[in-house]
Amino acid sequence: MTHDHDRMTEAADPEAVVRHLYGSLAAQTLRAAVRLRVVELIGDGRCHATDLAARTSTAPQPMTRLLRALASLGVLREHAAGTFSVTPTGALLDPAHPGSLTSLVRVFTEPALLRGWEHLDDSVRTGDVAFDKVFGTDFFGHLRAHPELSAEFNAAMSQATRHTAAVLRDAVDFGRFTTVVDVGGGDGTLLGAVLSAYPALRGVVYDTEEGLAQAPATLRRHGLTERCALTAGDFFRSVPAGGDLYLLKSVVHDWPDEQVVTILGHCRAVLPPGGRVLIVEPVLPDVVDPVTPGLNYLTDLNMLVNVGGRERNRADFERVCHAAGLSVVSVTPLADGDDAPYHAIEAVAAGA
């Protein structure tokens, strides 16, 4: 009765529905801006639409319309009719910006990534991974067959990891450990940040050969080639021994429970006495609430249609850890407040 009463007294918000519908159009507008190098070409000053059209071999009137759409999204600012500059937010669409998100934009507007979403309803009906049916291979197999997309995906994951890396190294006491093995560590962005903050710590980035492709450059940039090894392999078969902390960020959510238990089980098999497993993922509440970032639920659906994984709540993490012979001992949000998108889930060998 209370639920029905709340629904009857809460005002409908049709504009919210329209905003959500137009979200995909906004994403494609950002994609066009990146592909046409709009932000790079405007630079730090002001630029007229006709000049930018000439420099991009585009038509002046459509370019003006694109720039005005970007201004409406907060990427640009229009000072006089047809004259634009880049906002601080828009600067993130410049590949040279230290906080650049251009690869993230490219990957999340990549047609291959979006094709599965066209079949979301089918995935909801069946639980099957739409991507696999559309392309006849799994997502990571597709990346292996397309090296340019794989490199862009690695860059996007690096860009998505930078903020979490900075927060994680302050939220977790890595000084307790001697060697961190970053399982599925990609280009080393996360482990690089941790090792830079803890000079006595050594590390191993463990991933497939494709996943590690950009890692040497990352380690050189951080000056960590002497303290961090790169090891190629398959975490469904094993993980390297020798670490006292096994770190997994945005790995667990890529896979269904059975495969997660396999990965964690391999970590448990090489875990020394006193060793820890640290999972860095969103932790969903048991019931949707206003403070939980909505992006976490969209990511959950992205896992469903593209890779077959899922986002999880605390009980879900405890269950898969238990099945792998691990016990969760702490769950720490990685930012102030209850809206932290990521948590550090620390686990030990069961019975330890």
Side-chain angles (χ1 to χ4, degrees), residues 17-329:
V17 175
V18 174
R19 282 196 304 273
H20 295 323
L21 286 174
Y22 274 68
S24 61
L25 307 188
Q28 292 301 322
T29 301
L30 297 183
R31 176 179 172 84
V34 168
R35 288 165 64 88
L36 292 170
R37 301 174 56 234
V38 164
V39 169
E40 294 172 73
L41 293 173
I42 293 176
D44 295 331
R46 299 182 182 185
C47 183
H48 196 276
T50 54
D51 295 332
L52 193 59
R55 297 171 69 187
T56 55
S57 300
T58 57
Q61 190 209 53
M63 172 56 75
T64 302
R65 293 161 69 179
L66 173 64
L67 298 180
R68 284 182 168 154
L70 291 167
S72 76
L73 296 175
V75 172
L76 303 179
R77 182 174 293 112
E78 187 172 19
H79 300 273
T83 300
F84 299 84
S85 67
V86 178
T87 67
T89 297
L92 299 176
L93 299 185
D94 183 346
H97 190 282
S100 175
L101 297 175
T102 52
S103 290
L104 204 64
V105 171
R106 288 183 184 275
V107 166
F108 278 87
T109 58
E110 164 64 36
L113 201 74
L114 298 177
R115 288 285 305 279
W117 277 90
E118 297 172 9
H119 304 276
L120 172 59
D121 54 335
D122 294 329
S123 288
V124 171
R125 289 189 188 97
T126 65
D128 293 336
V129 183
F131 187 98
D132 296 9
K133 293 199 167 188
V134 171
F135 290 95
T137 185
D138 65 276
F139 178 73
F140 294 106
H142 185 78
L143 290 183
R144 283 192 295 274
H146 296 82
E148 287 189 12
L149 178 58
S150 180
E152 195 79 76
F153 178 80
N154 290 346
M157 294 304 98
S158 174
Q159 291 175 359
T161 296
R162 282 193 302 249
H163 174 71
T164 304
V167 177
L168 179 68
R169 67 189 180 193
D170 296 327
V172 174
D173 177 16
F174 288 93
R176 297 171 289 163
F177 308 105
T178 59
T179 302
V180 180
V181 179
D182 190 354
V183 178
D187 79 339
T189 293
L190 182 65
L191 190 53
V194 171
L195 295 182
S196 295
Y198 291 84
L201 199 58
R202 301 188 69 83
V204 176
V205 181
Y206 181 63
D207 210 319
T208 62
E209 291 185 3
E210 306 86 59
L212 292 174
Q214 285 74 42
T218 302
L219 297 187
R220 285 194 298 270
R221 190 165 59 250
H222 286 282
L224 294 171
T225 53
E226 298 299 318
R227 281 203 288 135
C228 188
L230 303 176
T231 302
D234 180 355
F235 51 42
F236 290 117
R237 294 176 179 239
S238 65
V239 300
D244 52 355
L245 177 66
Y246 286 80
L247 173 62
L248 303 94
K249 182 207 173 280
S250 299
V251 170
V252 169
H253 75 168
D254 284 340
W255 308 101
D257 286 358
E258 183 178 353
Q259 289 170 288
V260 170
V261 171
T262 297
I263 299 167
L264 295 178
H266 289 318
C267 294
R268 171 65 185 90
V270 296
L271 200 65
R276 302 278 171 128
V277 173
L278 186 66
I279 301 167
V280 180
E281 300 260 351
V283 177
L284 299 179
D286 295 336
V287 177
V288 176
D289 61 62
V291 301
T292 303
L295 293 181
N296 288 345
Y297 295 100
L298 295 178
T299 299
D300 185 42
L301 292 180
N302 190 49
M303 297 300 106
L304 171 65
V305 300
N306 278 323
V307 295
R310 56 177 294 201
E311 305 294 357
R312 294 173 170 86
N313 62 22
R314 178 165 182 159
D316 294 326
F317 283 110
E318 289 176 340
R319 185 180 66 255
V320 293
C321 283
H322 176 76
L326 298 166
S327 295
V328 173
V329 293

